[in-house]
């Protein structure tokens, strides 16, 4: 098992190199730093001096790959590739284009993200599994049929609708909780509740339907027949035999997104004014702050790979058949 | 037994059927177009009795079991008749009451032990569930009771096994767990639906023995469902023969084997492959089972019956004889006889020259096992581990062994579908293991393969014409499209199909027909060797006979050699000239088929042969019980691979692998006992 | 009107898609086993109803894809001069819908603007009133009296026209045979075509009524700059369809090729391909899209002179969005196909083909590809609705389609701030959500039907 984990971690290295190379190409080769500077300074009539000054300010004034002017290893390290890309491996994200310390920002902003994302995930999971079990228990009845129809209808609604609708209904018409904003400490609940509810409702349609499919797939297996042949009641069969097996794909599907909870939801956070990493990213995109976007891409990839690893490990815990080596 | 007890025993048994199935009718599918899976079936089982339902696939025998248990799939429903357990109707019970009977007084075990246990719950807990439900006396000591049950079904080391998961057990052990689960409720009736079909013969023998022992101890009635006449002979007190949803004949087992009365039963016997039938060929049942989505107004076997006359095709046949020993036919018992003239003896075997067409020596097929951070190779699955085999022209060499012995891998390695790890595969003087690319592709013409499962051996999206012609196209032979088409039609006729079949898709044909198409496909390249990988084990007996006849006739006409890979000994006896017995990647015994089957020299061969159930209840057989399962090919036992299970193992067997001894007439045995002459003839 | 046809990049790809679909239909019709699952689709009531709804959307989308430059005049040499404005056939059909602009917001069916304005009255006083709309309900008198009765009347006329159109269509499709039509409508055909026919009737009547009314009113109101919301919603259909279909079209070749190659060849080919998609997959999709779109924006703004017109630029941006969405979404299908190919390569018919000496390429084409096509089809249909929804979200984060392109996302983005107004401007949002919901719901239901029809494993479970 530990050998497996080490191997997977080693395997993560080429993947992160790949991610890094891709972002490097995307951010520095497709458009030169000059282009970026011109973009930021606005339009075409920008003097060369202004461009140089901007590049100087933001550390883009070095050669891309190889610094002929520098001596020794500095020829390799005093470059954009090293400063802006390779340092990501050390989680040194540097400064954003607006001059803030990205690492500092991230460490502060991940907590509000978690405060929204974790309850959304847990509550959603509980509700979706409950509904799916209900539909599976009443399979091939009208309840099941209409349940599925409602699920399909709910997943056909844009997530923007849930957010805007929720804000409008709860915040504006009923005036129950503030529409947006955030507070520290325990007072945060007032601001958390609406985004969580909206997030949960938005996920019910697809979640319930997907879990129902998993349950039904298990219900048709041979071992369920033998469990029934033992004389077990239908709900016992469902809760003990079917649920145990269906939980394996459900749990592992959840585990893979766990690390990504740090990043939070881009949409929900920006709509509800939550100062998390999601809105951080959106703001960066809107302000065309490439340093932040680059950092988030790398961070996202790292978290995804951790998620994959956790998934594999959770398989060994949830499923006695799986052994990693 | 005291005389009083004996008297009571006599009075009790005939009077009270334990389980009475009366005119049971079960439909599947929509109300408008139901499939009549079970159509008015009646039978009775008494205490301590084994009633066997014998039938080919799709005849509805499993549906009877599920109807009794009321566990039908949700498209199925019982539409008529009744099932009485000890005089009480099971059909009338509420679902809650029925649950008390399920796993209580009626236990059931299924065909597939591999999938019938919940993979994420320990086997002990799965049995404990049944104990808690049905055994109020053991509530206090569930764990102990579970161990007791494990011991009762012969699971070694039960204290340890209860904590294991299904995937840690072998197939035979899993089936024992299933039986323990069924026994937990101390059932009066045990329904066993093909309980040994997925198991190897040596394991099958163990499980069947276990069932008999348990029955003797508990006096339960057993409803055994099977397609295997050998199992019937082994187990049955009484037999019911099923065909297309109906019982065609019931009788005492002894009388049934002595004199089957229904034409279908008789045909079944005549289509069984046996050594004695080598010269004459097997009887076949023409045609296919009629679809069950119709209401029959005539005998459902009439279309395939050689004795059928007008009445058979217009009116339903009457039930002749009593409930317990009757049959359903328009003919009286003495009118039913085998009318057909004995099959014309086919041309005798062509004797090829004895030079080997295929010469395999030292063949090894090792699959590496990777482990650790750097995926280093830490071991090998030695699927084939040093195998020598010669196949002469126009002869059939059978490769026999249980699942996991590596026989299928041998076939693929010979065909270079897997590249062998070591060894030579010399075909007509060319070592195939060292030929690659286009050169190998060209050589492939001469050796072809027929697979086990006719359902997956043909691309469902191609026309039969394209399937049969595929090889010709790949080899660039057979001329233009029209010429190839003519050749395809000719090949189809050669295997007994109509030329029009070329325009249809594989799924439009039955299993036996598809296997013929597969043979036609192999023949298209005029190969000199065909590897037949279990070509009949997915087929029913009557269909198997057609395929075996075809293969034999083709060999005699065309002089093709076969490597016949199988686990079915009776097929070997019928078809093969030489036989090689494999155990754990090596051949343990090789020789002419009569010699090996009649006088096995290796203890494994002996045990294997003794475990095969023979369709003759009078056959006295002493099964040589093999302990345990075949070891893993990753680290085979030291010394002789077979020694841990060998009843005759001596000290030397543990130390080193025996040399192969060549006895008279090319007979080879790898056993210390044989080489020391202790067992020589 | 003289014109000069214009084929934008996305237009060309749509035509390519049509050709491919045409080929598929032609090929399928000649192969019974390929036709069978489609029969199951048309044999489903849900399938019938959703196909009709989707048909309406597709018809609008296709009309909106035929682009041209209208002629504005003739130069001295007598050669026609064409406008640089790119119009579509749909613009022509919609006619007044496109051109009749109000000043600013007006509610659905309104006759007056939504907000008060200072207007100089005839006697020179300044008055704060709701000004009369220029086009909406212009045929009514100044106060807009009798509107309700007029709406009902116009609606009924429109519905009647729709019914007539429907009847003509049914007559033509059934070659004027009354008996056939009677069987059809009574549901006496073996397939439930009557469900489709009745749904079509409802749709025709509804669309007919809307269309007729839209000639006199702004049935869904107008937006901030006074543009008809109904027209915007209809124009957005093309964008939604393009994103939903072209994205899969551009990603399919890579996904199919790499997927089956990885599964079939295994070994280092598999390693490389797996590495490729794991790497791409490990970047959260939104961020990859954001990064790519940002870079494209820079490129476009720095090289603005390379584009002939705004339309062309918006179109290229749409195409680029499809490409980048394709890059992020091919991995799922690729992995699915790899798994399937791994299974297929061990199947006996593939082994048999190898035993015949059939070469790898031919095995891939003849044995592997045809047996994974149902998966490809199911994925394509399933992905569609997700992509349509994604467009709205991306446009909201301003990494979606060009702001000049009509799309539901842009409509929502433009209107969401107006929710804060008192009273609320709700119609743009509601129109966009309704149009999107109808399309996505129909697509979701349809994809369920397709999956059930094509997935043999599911069928066994029923």
């Amino acid at each position: 098992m530990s050998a497996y984990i080490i191997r997977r971690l080693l395997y993560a290295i080429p993947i992160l190199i790949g991610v890094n190379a891709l972002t490097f190409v995307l951010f520095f080769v497709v458009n030169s730093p000059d282009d970026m500077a011109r973009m930021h300074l606005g339009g075409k009539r920008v003097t060369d001096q202004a461009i140089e000054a901007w590049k100087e300010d933001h550390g883009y004034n070095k050669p891309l790959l190889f610094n002929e002017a520098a001596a020794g290893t500095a020829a390799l390290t005093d470059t954009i590739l090293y400063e802006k890309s390779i340092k990501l491996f050390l989680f040194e994200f540097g400064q954003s284009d607006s001059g803030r310390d990205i690492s500092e920002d991230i460490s502060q902003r991940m907590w509000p993200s978690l405060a929204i994302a974790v309850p959304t995930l847990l509550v959603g999971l509980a509700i979706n599994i409950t509904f799916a079990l209900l539909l599976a228990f009443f399979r091939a009845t009208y309840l099941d049929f209409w349940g599925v129809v409602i699920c399909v209808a709910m997943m056909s609604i844009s997530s923007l609708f849930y957010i805007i609708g929720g804000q409008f209904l709860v915040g504006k018409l009923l005036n129950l909780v503030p529409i947006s904003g955030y507070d520290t400490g325990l007072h945060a609940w007032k601001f958390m509740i609406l985004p969580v509810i909206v997030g949960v409702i938005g996920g019910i349609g697809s979640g319930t339907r997907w879990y129902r499919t998993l349950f039904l797939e298990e219900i048709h297996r041979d071992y369920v027949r033998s469990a029934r042949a033992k004389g077990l009641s239908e709900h016992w069969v469902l809760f003990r035999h079917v649920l145990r097996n269906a939980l394996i794909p459900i749990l592992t599907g959840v585990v893979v997104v766990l690390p990504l909870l740090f990043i939070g939801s881009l949409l929900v956070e920006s709509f509800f004014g939550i100062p998390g990493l999601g809105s951080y990213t959106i703001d960066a995109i809107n302000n065309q702050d490439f340093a932040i976007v680059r950092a988030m891409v790398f961070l996202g990839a790292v978290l995804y790979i951790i998620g994959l690893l956790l998934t594999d490990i959770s398989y060994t815990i949830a499923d006695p058949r799986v052994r990693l080596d | 037994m005291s005389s009083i007890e004996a008297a009571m025993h006599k009075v009790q048994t005939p009077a009270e059927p334990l389980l009475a199935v009366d005119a049971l009718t079960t439909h599947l599918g929509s109300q408008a177009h139901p499939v009549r899976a079970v159509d008015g079936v009646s039978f009775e089982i008494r205490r301590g009795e084994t009633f066997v339902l014998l039938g080919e696939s799709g005849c509805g025998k499993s549906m009877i079991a599920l109807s009794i248990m009321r566990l039908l799939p949700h498209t199925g429903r019982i539409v008529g008749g009744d099932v009485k357990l000890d005089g009480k109707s099971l059909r009338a019970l509420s679902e809650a009451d029925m649950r008390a009977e399920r796993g209580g007084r009626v236990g059931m075990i299924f065909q597939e032990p591999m999938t019938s246990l919940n993979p994420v719950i320990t086997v002990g807990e799965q049995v404990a569930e049944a104990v808690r439900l049905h055994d109020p006396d053991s509530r206090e000591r569930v764990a102990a009771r579970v161990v007791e049950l494990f011991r009762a079904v012969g699971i070694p080391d039960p204290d340890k096994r209860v904590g294991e998961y299904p995937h840690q057990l072998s197939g035979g052990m899993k089936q024992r767990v299933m039986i323990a689960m069924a026994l937990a409720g101390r059932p009066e009736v045990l329904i066993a639906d093909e309980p040994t079909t997925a198991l190897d013969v040596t394991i099958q023998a163990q499980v069947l023995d276990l069932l008999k022992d348990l029955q003797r101890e508990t006096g339960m009635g057993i409803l055994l469902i099977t397609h295997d006449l050998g199992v019937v002979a082994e187990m049955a007190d009484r037999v019911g023969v099923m065909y297309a949803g109906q019982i065609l004949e019931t009788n005492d087992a002894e009388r049934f084997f002595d004199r089957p009365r229904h034409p279908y039963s008789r045909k079944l016997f005549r289509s069984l492959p046996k050594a004695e039938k080598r010269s004459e060929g097997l009887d076949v049942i023409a045609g296919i089972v009629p679809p069950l989505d119709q209401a029959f107004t005539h005998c459902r076997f009439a279309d395939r019956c050689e004795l059928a006359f007008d009445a058979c095709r217009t009116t339903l046949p009457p039930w002749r004889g009593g409930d317990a020993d009757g049959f359903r036919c328009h003919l009286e018992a003495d009118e039913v006889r085998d009318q057909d003239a004995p099959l014309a003896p086919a041309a005798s075997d062509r004797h090829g020259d004895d030079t080997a067409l295929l010469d395999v020596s030292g063949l090894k097929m090792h699959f590496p096992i990777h482990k650790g951070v750097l995926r280093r190779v830490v071991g090998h699955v030695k699927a084939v581990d040093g195998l020598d085999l010669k196949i002469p022209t126009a002869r059939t060499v059978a490769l026999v062994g249980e699942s996991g012995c590596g026989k299928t891998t041998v076939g693929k390695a010979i065909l270079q579908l897997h590249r062998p790890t070591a060894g030579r595969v010399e075909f007509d003087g060319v070592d195939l293991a060292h030929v690659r690319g286009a050169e190998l592709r060209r050589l492939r013409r001469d050796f072809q393969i027929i697979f086990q499962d006719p359902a997956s051996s043909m691309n469902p999206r191609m026309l039969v014409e394209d399937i049969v012609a595929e090889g010709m196209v790949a080899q660039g032979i057979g001329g233009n499209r029209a010429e190839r088409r003519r050749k395809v039609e000719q090949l189809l006729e050669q295997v007994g199909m109509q030329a029009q079949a070329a325009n249809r898709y594989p799924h439009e044909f039955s299993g036996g027909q598809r296997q013929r198409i597969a043979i036609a496909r192999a023949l298209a390249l005029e190969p000199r060797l065909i590897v037949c990988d279990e070509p009949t084990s997915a087929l029913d007996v009557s269909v198997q006979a057609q395929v075996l006849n075809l293969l034999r006739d083709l060999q005699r006409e065309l002089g093709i050699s076969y490597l016949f890979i199988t686990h079915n000994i009776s097929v070997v006896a019928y078809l093969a000239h030489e036989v090689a017995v494999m155990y754990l990647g090596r051949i343990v015994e090789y020789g002419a088929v009569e010699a090996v089957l009649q006088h096995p020299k290796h203890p494994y061969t002996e045990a294997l042969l003794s475990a095969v159930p023979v369709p003759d209840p009078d056959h006295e057989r002493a099964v040589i019980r093999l302990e345990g399962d075949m070891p893993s090919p990753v680290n085979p036992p030291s010394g002789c691979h077979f020694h841990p299970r060998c009843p005759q193992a001596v000290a030397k067997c543990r130390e080193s692998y025996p040399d192969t001894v060549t006895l008279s007439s090319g007979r080879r045995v790898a056993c210390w006992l044989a080489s020391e002459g202790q067992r020589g003839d | 009107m003289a014109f000069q046809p214009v084929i934008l990049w996305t237009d060309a790809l749509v035509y390519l898609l049509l050709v491919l679909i045409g080929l598929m239909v032609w090929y399928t019709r000649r192969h019974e086993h390929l036709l069978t699952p489609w029969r199951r689709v048309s044999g489903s009531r849900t399938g019938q109803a959703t196909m009709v709804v989707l048909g309406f959307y597709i018809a609008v989308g296709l009309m909106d894809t035929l682009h041209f430059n209208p002629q504005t005049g003739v130069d001295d040499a007598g050669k026609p001069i064409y406008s640089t404005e790119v119009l579509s056939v749909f613009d022509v059909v919609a006619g007044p819908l496109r051109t009749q602009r109000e000043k600013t917001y007006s509610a659905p069916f309104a006759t007056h603007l939504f907000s008060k304005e200072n207007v100089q009255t005839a006697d020179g006083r300044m008055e704060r009133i709701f000004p009369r709309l220029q086009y909406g309900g212009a045929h009514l008198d100044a106060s807009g009296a009798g509107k309700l009765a007029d709406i009902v009347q116009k609606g009924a006329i429109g519905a009647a026209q729709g019914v007539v159109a429907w009847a003509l269509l049914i007559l033509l499709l059934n070659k004027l045979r009354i008996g056939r039509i009677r069987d059809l409508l009574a549901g006496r055909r073996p397939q439930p075509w009557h469900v489709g026919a009745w749904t079509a009737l409802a749709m025709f009547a509804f669309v007919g009524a809307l269309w007729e009314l839209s000639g006199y009113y702004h049935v869904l109101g107008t937006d901030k700059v006074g543009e008809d919301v109904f027209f915007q919603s209809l124009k957005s259909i093309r964008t939604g369809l393009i994103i939903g279909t072209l994205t899969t079209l551009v990603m399919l070749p890579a996904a199919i090729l790499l997927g089956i190659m990885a599964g079939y060849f295994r070994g280092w080919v598999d390693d490389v391909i797996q590495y490729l998609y794991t790497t791409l997959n490990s970047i959260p999709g939104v961020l990859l899209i954001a990064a790519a779109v940002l870079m494209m924006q820079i490129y476009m703004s720095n090289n603005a002179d390379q584009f002939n017109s705004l339309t062309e630029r918006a179109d290229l941006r749409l195409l680029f969005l499809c490409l980048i969405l394709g890059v992020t979404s091919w991995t799922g299908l690729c992995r699915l196909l790899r798994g399937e190919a791994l299974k297929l390569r061990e199947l006996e018919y593939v082994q048999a083909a190898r035993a015949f000496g059939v070469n790898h390429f031919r095995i891939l084409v003849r044995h592997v590809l045809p047996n994974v096509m149902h998966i490809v089809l199911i994925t394509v249909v399933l992905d569609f609705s997700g992509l349509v929804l994604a467009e709205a979200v991306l446009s909201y984060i301003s990494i979606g389609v060009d702001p000049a392109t009509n799309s539901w996302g842009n409509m929502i983005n433009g209107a969401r701030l107006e929710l804060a107004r008192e009273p609320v401007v709700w119609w743009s949002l509601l129109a966009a959500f309704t149009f999107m919901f109808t399309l996505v719901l129909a697509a979701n239901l349809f994809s369920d039907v397709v999956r059930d029809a094509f997935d043999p494993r599911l069928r066994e479970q029923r």
Side-chain angles (χ1 to χ4, degrees), chain B residues 45-64:
Chain B
I45 301 176
R46 291 175 185 74
R47 261 172 236 285
E49 180 184 66
T50 302
F51 181 78
V52 175
L53 274 178
L54 169 75
E56 297 182 292
S57 53
C59 70
K61 53 195 195 301
S62 288
M63 282 303 148
I64 293 180

Side-chain angles (χ1 to χ4, degrees), chain B residues 357-395:
Chain B
L357 177 66
L358 181 81
D359 187 349
V360 179
S361 57
L363 182 72
K364 285 185 184 176
M365 197 68 221
H366 292 183
F367 298 100
I369 306 167
H370 300 279
K371 239 187 180 147
V373 177
L374 298 172
R375 317 292 293 140
R376 269 189 319 240
V377 176
V378 293
H380 284 96
V381 177
K382 294 170 183 155
V384 182
D385 195 22
L387 177 131
D388 304 323
L389 194 65
K390 284 192 175 72
I391 303 179
T393 309
R395 304 283 276 182

Side-chain angles (χ1 to χ4, degrees), chain B residues 260-277:
Chain B
R261 287 167 300 172
H262 196 279
Y264 174 63
S265 316
R266 299 183 71 91
K267 274 285 192 191
L268 277 185
F269 278 101
R270 287 173 58 89
S271 59
L272 276 184
K274 270 189 202 161
E276 303 87 79
K277 296 182 188 167

Side-chain angles (χ1 to χ4, degrees), chain B residues 93 297 348 351 622:
Chain B
L93 292 181
T297 55
S348 58
H351 247 293

Side-chain angles (χ1 to χ4, degrees), chain B residues 441 459 470 475 505 521, chain C residues 33 354 356-357 366-367 371:
Chain B
R441 228 169 261 150
N459 187 339
E470 189 179 18
Q475 293 289 340
Y505 287 96
R521 170 174 68 176
Chain C
H33 64 284
R354 290 181 54 204
F356 285 135
R366 294 276 282 183
H367 293 289
N371 286 295

Side-chain angles (χ1 to χ4, degrees), chain B residues 26-39:
Chain B
T26 299
H27 288 183
L28 297 174
S30 67
Q31 303 274 359
H33 302 283
V35 172
R36 295 163 169 81
V38 181
D39 199 3

Side-chain angles (χ1 to χ4, degrees), chain A residues 3 6-7 10 222-223 225-226 228-234 236 240-241 244-245 248 319-321 325, chain B residues 69 71 99 102-103 110 115-120 125-126 129-130 133-134 165 167 181 371-373 375:
Chain A
I6 292 171
R7 195 161 47 80
L10 290 178
D222 283 353
Y223 71 81
R225 192 181 55 186
S226 10
R228 290 204 188 108
K230 264 189 271 187
L232 298 175
S233 62
E234 189 63 18
W236 183 269
R240 214 174 134 67
H241 288 260
R244 273 277 266 280
N245 281 280
I248 296 172
D319 190 338
R321 285 164 294 183
D325 47 28
Chain B
M69 296 294 278
L71 283 175
R99 278 207 297 271
R102 261 183 228 139
F110 298 93
T115 56
S116 291
L117 287 169
N118 192 328
V120 299
E125 176 54 26
Q126 294 191 52
E129 276 183 337
L133 262 178
H134 297 294
Y165 289 94
H167 71 276
M181 216 151 84
K371 239 187 180 147
V373 177
R375 317 292 293 140

Side-chain angles (χ1 to χ4, degrees), chain B residues 412 417 441 444 448-449 451 453 456-462 466 470-471 473-475 505 521 525, chain C residues 31-34 347-349 351-360 362 366-367 370-371 374 461-462:
Chain B
K412 292 196 171 163
L417 293 175
R441 228 169 261 150
R444 285 189 182 282
Q448 283 303 312
I449 185 163
F451 290 101
D453 186 0
S456 67
S457 69
M458 270 168 272
N459 187 339
R461 315 217 174 241
M462 280 167 71
D466 296 330
E470 189 179 18
V473 176
Q475 293 289 340
Y505 287 96
R521 170 174 68 176
L525 292 181
Chain C
H31 291 81
E32 187 54 36
H33 64 284
L34 295 174
L347 272 195
E348 295 176 342
Y349 59 80
Q351 300 270 328
R354 290 181 54 204
F356 285 135
V358 180
N359 62 38
H360 291 311
R362 210 176 152 80
R366 294 276 282 183
H367 293 289
N371 286 295
H374 67 282
Q461 285 182 8
R462 309 235 143 181

